[in-house]
Amino acid sequence: MKRALFICLEGPDGSGKTTVTSLLYEKLKASNYDCIHTREPGGIEIAEQIRRIILDPQNTNMDAKTEALLYAASRRQHLVERVIPALNEGKIVLCERFIYSSLAYQGYGRKIGFEAIYDINIFAIEDYFPDITIYLDVDEKTGLKRIESRNNKDRLDLETIDFHHRVNEGYQEVLRRFKDRIKIVDASKSLDDVVSDCMDIILKELS
């Protein structure tokens, strides 16, 4: 089965993106779809190196605009080195996070501004928006509780509640502005139900 499709999973920290994306990957592979599972920031060596810089808890002095530019740089390298080649080969690309994360985290969380972050990232991605973006919707209290239970917290996990509140506000703005491009899934349901809902969206697009 060959059908190039760029699928992105979005959502605030604690929404279950990594777990859900991994299970979707396994289900698609089991159904003989040619697909890859990747993430942002990261996915390839250069981008993973940038990820380590961004998320290192010791880098508390990082300027907000430096952070935004690093995310965009990582996104560009990941796109040209991994995503585009996979799509050109007719593969399904399952990616944790893409441009919408930057709009929420840096645009709102860091107070840089929605339009400024959009412009930086459009320069990085050009016309490569995901074919489908699935937003894993979880209430802020649940998301923060899941973050708190993590053993190894990164620099963003350790941010203030106010920061995470702004991120959630940013995602609501993303959902308003890009409502035609994003499918919302209730991530407060059981894991099986969340994965099933996501699979329904993907299979509908593939058919």
Side-chain angles (χ1 to χ4, degrees):
M1 298 180 184
K2 286 278 188 178
R3 163 81 197 281
L5 197 67
F6 185 13
I7 304 166
C8 178
L9 272 79
E10 284 282 2
D13 284 312
S15 58
K17 290 176 300 301
T18 299
T19 301
V20 173
T21 308
S22 296
L23 291 171
L24 291 173
Y25 171 75
E26 293 300 331
K27 283 182 174 292
L28 287 168
K29 290 288 284 185
S31 298
N32 295 318
Y33 287 101
D34 192 2
C35 59
I36 66 168
H37 174 197
T38 189
R39 68 176 182 175
E40 287 201 347
I44 45 95
E45 184 52 36
I46 292 173
E48 289 290 342
Q49 291 179 39
I50 296 173
R51 179 189 181 91
R52 289 191 285 273
I53 293 169
I54 293 172
L55 298 181
D56 188 335
Q58 295 185 9
N59 290 338
T60 55
N61 291 331
M62 186 178 294
D63 177 75
K65 290 182 180 179
T66 300
E67 179 184 280
L69 291 166
L70 285 172
Y71 271 111
S74 172
R75 180 162 296 128
R76 175 66 186 178
Q77 189 65 30
H78 176 241
L79 182 70
V80 299
E81 191 173 338
R82 184 143 203 226
V83 176
I84 294 174
L87 293 173
N88 287 342
E89 292 171 5
K91 295 182 179 181
I92 296 170
V93 176
L94 285 169
C95 186
E96 300 170 39
R97 300 197 181 280
F98 201 60
I99 182 175
Y100 301 126
S101 284
S102 287
L103 294 171
Y105 279 81
Q106 283 73 54
Y108 268 66
R110 296 296 186 209
K111 302 181 182 180
I112 296 174
F114 198 96
E115 301 302 334
I117 296 300
Y118 184 81
D119 289 344
I120 290 169
N121 281 276
I122 287 300
F123 174 74
I125 71 170
E126 299 175 276
D127 294 326
Y128 280 92
F129 274 90
D131 298 298
I132 308 171
T133 295
I134 298 174
Y135 180 78
L136 299 180
D137 190 22
V138 66
D139 67 88
E140 191 173 333
K141 183 178 179 181
T142 300
L144 290 173
K145 186 177 180 180
R146 290 175 179 174
I147 294 171
E148 189 59 34
S149 68
R150 292 174 180 170
N151 292 323
N152 297 314
K153 296 181 178 63
D154 62 39
R155 194 170 62 87
L156 295 186
D157 291 339
L158 296 171
E159 278 292 346
T160 65
I161 291 176
D162 286 343
F163 172 82
H164 289 290
H165 180 64
R166 292 194 300 273
V167 169
N168 276 278
E169 288 181 344
Y171 269 124
Q172 295 310 306
E173 180 64 16
V174 166
L175 295 176
R176 284 191 292 271
R177 294 204 191 195
F178 302 101
K179 59 184 178 181
D180 295 333
R181 294 183 174 183
I182 301 175
K183 305 292 185 182
I184 300 173
V185 168
D186 182 359
S188 67
K189 297 195 292 186
S190 72
L191 180 58
D192 286 346
D193 285 342
V194 173
V195 173
S196 178
D197 289 347
C198 291
M199 276 298 292
D200 287 345
I201 291 169
I202 294 169
L203 293 176
K204 183 178 180 180
E205 183 69 20
L206 286 168
S207 65

